[in-house]
Each structure stands twice: as structure tokens, then as C-alpha cells.
Amino acid sequence: MNHFKKWINWASGYNPRKEMTLLMGAQYEPQIFGQLVERDQTLFISNSDTEKYFRPSRLPIKNTLFKNTQFFDPYYEVNYKEIKLPATLTRNPEETILNYFSILREAENLNQNQLGGCGTVGMAKLPFPIAYNFFTKDYHKRVSYNKYLQSFDGIGHLNLIKMNRLPDEKDIIPYFIELETIEGSSKGVTYFAYYYGYVQLKKEQNLYKIDQIKLYGEDFLCAAYHLWQHDAEAVVAIMYGEWCKLIKKQLPTKQDGYVKTIDFIGTDGADYRFIFYQLTNDTDVLISQFKKNAEGNWESIRIDPYQCLDNKA
């Protein structure tokens, strides 16, 4: 298992024995922030502005490449096995992701139990067999087309609102993403739902294909009332300061859009940098950890704060 996968598995509480749940073609995991920590850290819970956790995204959407529906004309009544994607759609990793989600933006899979809309929505199910061909052969072995299609049950619309490339790991090219969906309901009205996660791409015959997607659902009521794991400053201060005794001085947070950077001077005299991404529900997710080496360059590290607790036990 490579370095990146280890990090994602640790952050998500991955259990290899648990049966995989599929959502929108991705491996779905429950929100990890809701896991209670058996420690009294209530002083770090901010109650000054709970309203911020209830507001949806105002970011412009990124998956807007196919504004002309003529793109879909050659694919009517064509089986997914007969589709050969134009090489121009997967020439580089960023184009692959943007094209994939641009195609899915026109897709819907509403059903009798999850209704919405006032007739045909977008291009209905036509985009799904096209999108399925953006995946590697290994993905196709793991997830059949029927399971892929079923994983979109209740989804009426899909927007890509955040996309950031992460450090490559050998033959894997990972990206962070955040999705905004409009989903049907038994009431016949639609609701917004948000997911964040990771896309892994691999090069296959000189084209960049998607090999895995993992998504986590965002909750809009948890952070407003409970815990402190949603707050980047508290995460650094508690997990890496109190638990690991690593922080000598924590510096003021720098924020650029939804990217939050926290630097601190370690008790070992070294400089550290932790990078968080702020989600639509205004909670913070730790993405990267760095330590400055003797040459003054930032090196990627992985410190598991729960091991610090285990060492104290």
C-alpha cells in the first residue's frame, strides 16, 4: 500500500473487512468528524458563529465544459462497451476530471422513491455509459456498470466546486474534490447535498484514467453543536500540541480562499506546516503535513496523533 493510500485510510478510519458502499461511482464513507474523543476539550468548541455551518456553497462550478448538448449525439442508444472516448478527453489528469464531471453534470438517476424536477432533467441517463469509460480496466473489474449506475440512485444534478492536485505517489495521481449535488426525495422536492473526497488517476495507454474515487458526506448540523474536530486551529492545538507535545509555538493561521495554512515551531526546534481545506459546511479537513528539512525545504510527513495517545496509555 502506497504512502498516499495509508494516509487516506488513516484519516477515514478505513476497515478492509467492511463491505464497500458505492455512491456516485465512488467508495462512500460516513463523516469522520462525528467520532467522539473521550477527552474533555469543550473549551475549544466555538459557539460564536454557528450560523456559518448552515450556509451552502457560493463557489462557481468547474464542470462546465459541455455547454452544447451536441456532444452527446453520437452516444444515443449505444452500449457502454461500444463507446470509445476521444483521446482529447483524457490527455492529462486535470482534463480527465473536468471532462468526467462535466459529462455527469448532465446526468440524473431519480426514481420513484427519490423524485424531483418537472419532467426530463438534463440528458437523463445518457451520460452514465460515457462517464463509465473514464475509469481504468481495474475499476471496471471491481465495479460493474450496473452497480455504477445504481450508485447514482436519487441524484438529479452534480456540480464540481473544488479540485486540487495533491502530491503524486508513484504511479498514482491524486486530487482532492468537493461535489455539490441536487438529490430527489420521497416528498417530491429536491435537496442540496455536499460531499468531499479524493480521486486517484493512473496512466493507461498514455491516457489518464480514473482508478478510484472515495467520497465522504458533509453534515450541516454536527459542527454547529458538537465537538472541535471541525476546527483547524483546535485540531493542531489539541492533537499535535496536547496529545503529541510537538508544539512550542503555534503561529497565526493564514487563509487563502478555502485553503488554511497553520505553521508552528516544534518542541524539537523544527518548523512545521499543516494545510487544511475548508468545506462547504465550513468544517476543516487536514490535507497535508510538512516539516522543513536542514536544507530549508518542506518535506511531506505523516504524524498520526492517535499513536501519541496510544503511547500514553
Side-chain angles (χ1 to χ4, degrees), residues 102-129:
S102 292
I103 289 170
L104 284 180
R105 183 173 178 239
E106 303 301 329
E108 65 88 2
N109 196 16
L110 299 170
N111 54 53
Q112 292 182 345
N113 297 321
Q114 294 163 289
L115 300 172
C118 303
T120 301
V121 177
M123 303 301 295
K125 294 178 177 58
L126 177 61
F128 290 118

Side-chain angles (χ1 to χ4, degrees), residues 12-65:
S12 63
Y14 172 73
N15 182 353
R17 298 180 181 178
K18 184 176 66 175
E19 185 176 351
M20 181 177 70
T21 300
L22 205 63
L23 173 72
M24 293 185 288
Q27 182 176 333
Y28 178 72
E29 299 287 347
Q31 174 174 291
I32 61 175
F33 295 121
Q35 299 172 1
L36 292 172
V37 177
E38 296 179 2
R39 286 177 159 252
D40 184 12
Q41 307 288 356
T42 55
L43 70 153
F44 286 96
I45 299 176
S46 173
N47 55 13
S48 60
D49 184 20
T50 57
E51 188 66 25
K52 68 181 181 178
Y53 295 107
F54 305 131
R55 295 181 178 175
S57 174
R58 300 174 185 173
L59 292 176
I61 59 176
K62 296 180 177 293
N63 53 329
T64 60
L65 300 186

Side-chain angles (χ1 to χ4, degrees), residues 15-278:
N15 182 353
R17 298 180 181 178
K18 184 176 66 175
E19 185 176 351
M20 181 177 70
T21 300
L22 205 63
L23 173 72
M24 293 185 288
Q27 182 176 333
Y28 178 72
E29 299 287 347
Q31 174 174 291
I32 61 175
F33 295 121
Q35 299 172 1
L36 292 172
V37 177
E38 296 179 2
R39 286 177 159 252
D40 184 12
Q41 307 288 356
T42 55
L43 70 153
F44 286 96
I45 299 176
S46 173
N47 55 13
S48 60
D49 184 20
T50 57
E51 188 66 25
K52 68 181 181 178
Y53 295 107
F54 305 131
R55 295 181 178 175
S57 174
R58 300 174 185 173
L59 292 176
I61 59 176
K62 296 180 177 293
N63 53 329
T64 60
L65 300 186
F66 300 112
K67 297 178 181 179
N68 192 332
T69 58
Q70 291 180 350
F71 167 83
F72 296 94
D73 289 348
Y75 302 106
Y76 278 95
E77 299 182 0
V78 176
N79 186 283
Y80 75 91
K81 295 181 180 179
E82 302 173 311
I83 294 175
K84 183 174 177 59
L85 292 179
T88 54
L89 298 180
T90 54
R91 288 180 302 189
N92 63 62
E94 183 170 324
E95 287 183 349
T96 295
I97 294 177
L98 288 175
N99 286 320
Y100 172 74
F101 284 110
S102 292
I103 289 170
L104 284 180
R105 183 173 178 239
E106 303 301 329
E108 65 88 2
N109 196 16
L110 299 170
N111 54 53
Q112 292 182 345
N113 297 321
Q114 294 163 289
L115 300 172
C118 303
T120 301
V121 177
M123 303 301 295
K125 294 178 177 58
L126 177 61
F128 290 118
I130 308 171
Y132 186 68
N133 278 277
F134 277 79
F135 289 93
T136 62
K137 294 178 181 178
D138 286 340
Y139 179 92
H140 287 172
K141 292 177 182 178
R142 300 193 305 267
V143 179
S144 69
Y145 174 71
N146 287 335
K147 286 185 176 180
Y148 174 77
L149 178 61
Q150 291 170 8
S151 73
F152 286 85
D153 281 352
I155 304 297
H157 194 73
L158 179 63
N159 292 326
L160 176 67
I161 57 176
K162 291 176 186 170
M163 182 180 77
N164 294 71
R165 185 163 178 168
L166 303 174
D168 295 356
E169 292 284 347
K170 294 184 179 179
D171 61 337
I172 291 177
I173 304 169
Y175 276 79
F176 172 89
I177 61 168
E178 189 178 18
L179 302 175
E180 174 186 72
T181 66
I182 302 178
E183 304 185 8
S185 72
S186 59
K187 297 178 182 179
V189 295
T190 52
Y191 298 93
F192 283 101
Y194 294 83
Y195 305 87
Y196 75 94
Y198 306 91
V199 180
Q200 294 184 5
L201 299 100
K202 287 186 176 180
K203 200 170 185 179
E204 193 174 79
Q205 295 179 342
N206 291 322
L207 300 174
Y208 292 90
K209 295 293 190 77
I210 298 170
D211 190 59
Q212 185 181 37
I213 305 177
K214 184 174 283 191
L215 293 177
Y216 304 86
E218 296 182 33
D219 190 289
F220 282 77
L221 293 176
C222 186
Y225 299 109
H226 304 285
L227 306 179
W228 46 263
Q229 292 98 319
H230 311 276
D231 182 79
E233 291 80 3
V235 166
V236 174
I238 294 172
M239 290 186 169
Y240 300 93
E242 183 177 334
W243 295 3
C244 296
K245 307 299 181 186
L246 186 61
I247 300 176
K248 180 178 180 181
K249 181 180 180 180
Q250 185 168 326
L251 304 177
T253 302
K254 298 176 182 178
Q255 184 159 355
D256 182 10
Y258 58 84
V259 180
K260 299 179 76 171
T261 302
I262 299 180
D263 292 342
F264 64 85
I265 301 171
T267 51
D268 58 356
D271 293 332
Y272 292 84
R273 172 166 291 174
F274 284 17
I275 296 177
F276 293 77
Y277 290 164
Q278 198 167 46

Side-chain angles (χ1 to χ4, degrees), residues 277-295:
Y277 290 164
Q278 198 167 46
L279 306 177
T280 294
N281 67 355
D282 222 41
T283 63
D284 302 322
V285 176
L286 178 59
I287 299 297
S288 303
Q289 304 175 11
F290 298 97
K291 181 179 181 180
K292 188 171 287 187
N293 60 25
E295 288 75 34

